[in-house]
Amino acid sequence: MKHIGIWIDKEKAHVILVKEDNEDMTTIVSGIENFRIHGGSGTRFKGGPQDVVQDSKYLEREKHQFKTYFKNVASHIKDADKIVIYGPAETGEKFSKELEINYKEISKKVKDVIKADSMTDNQTKALVRSYFKKDQQRIH
């Protein structure tokens, strides 16, 4: 049985493979740019030329970066038997939806998507281990 837990946010994903006596953790960096939209006056004079900000251009680029990131994470978990996804905000939900749409075989293996705040590596490993331990107890 290959049990994998993923702690994922916009910056990185920790893929944790739970084994009998320990966990293997792989970190995947997202490569998603953090951009700040700067607008405002291009001159110090009142009423000077204004910078036009194209939100849609940035959002489209971010969407493509998320797709590439999720594809990379999916390639690391494709041979798992059971998967649980953790993470803050909506990144975990976005990843789960991406799996449902484009990676149906992997999506069938996702048992849970749980919101969780940032944790240390050891806390993340413990969280994943305890999830699968409880899962095993429910089966027996």
Side-chain angles (χ1 to χ4, degrees), residues 3 82 111 129-140:
H3 294 162
K82 290 183 178 181
K111 301 301 171 198
R129 179 171 286 289
S130 72
Y131 178 86
F132 286 116
K133 200 172 273 186
K134 286 179 192 166
D135 191 50
Q136 285 295 99
Q137 290 170 351
R138 277 180 272 180
I139 293 171
H140 297 297

Side-chain angles (χ1 to χ4, degrees), residues 18-70:
V18 178
K19 297 181 175 180
E20 291 293 320
D21 53 348
N22 70 343
E23 306 86 18
D24 280 345
M25 186 162 93
T26 306
T27 301
I28 301 164
V29 178
S30 72
I32 295 172
E33 296 171 58
N34 270 338
F35 59 86
R36 286 192 200 94
I37 298 169
H38 298 288
S41 179
T43 178
R44 61 191 171 115
F45 300 113
K46 187 175 180 174
Q50 300 292 310
D51 293 335
V52 177
V53 178
Q54 298 294 326
D55 283 352
S56 60
K57 176 174 66 174
Y58 291 112
L59 294 173
E60 193 62 30
R61 186 163 67 203
E62 184 182 61
K63 191 168 85 173
H64 287 292
Q65 290 171 348
F66 263 112
K67 272 206 170 301
T68 303
Y69 174 40
F70 290 161

Side-chain angles (χ1 to χ4, degrees), residues 29-134:
V29 178
S30 72
I32 295 172
E33 296 171 58
N34 270 338
F35 59 86
R36 286 192 200 94
I37 298 169
H38 298 288
S41 179
T43 178
R44 61 191 171 115
F45 300 113
K46 187 175 180 174
Q50 300 292 310
D51 293 335
V52 177
V53 178
Q54 298 294 326
D55 283 352
S56 60
K57 176 174 66 174
Y58 291 112
L59 294 173
E60 193 62 30
R61 186 163 67 203
E62 184 182 61
K63 191 168 85 173
H64 287 292
Q65 290 171 348
F66 263 112
K67 272 206 170 301
T68 303
Y69 174 40
F70 290 161
K71 182 179 180 181
N72 192 3
V73 175
S75 72
H76 281 78
I77 62 171
K78 64 180 178 268
D79 54 348
D81 296 313
K82 290 183 178 181
I83 300 167
V84 62
I85 302 170
Y86 295 94
E90 69 254 359
T91 309
E93 294 288 331
K94 278 184 182 178
F95 181 58
S96 179
K97 283 189 179 111
E98 179 71 14
L99 291 177
E100 286 172 24
I101 295 167
N102 295 313
Y103 305 92
K104 291 184 185 343
E105 284 303 309
I106 298 173
S107 178
K108 292 176 190 172
K109 301 171 187 179
V110 175
K111 301 301 171 198
D112 230 334
V113 179
I114 300 168
K115 288 191 185 226
D117 288 329
S118 294
M119 294 177 264
T120 65
D121 291 353
N122 286 336
Q123 288 172 323
T124 305
K125 289 176 185 176
L127 186 69
V128 172
R129 179 171 286 289
S130 72
Y131 178 86
F132 286 116
K133 200 172 273 186
K134 286 179 192 166

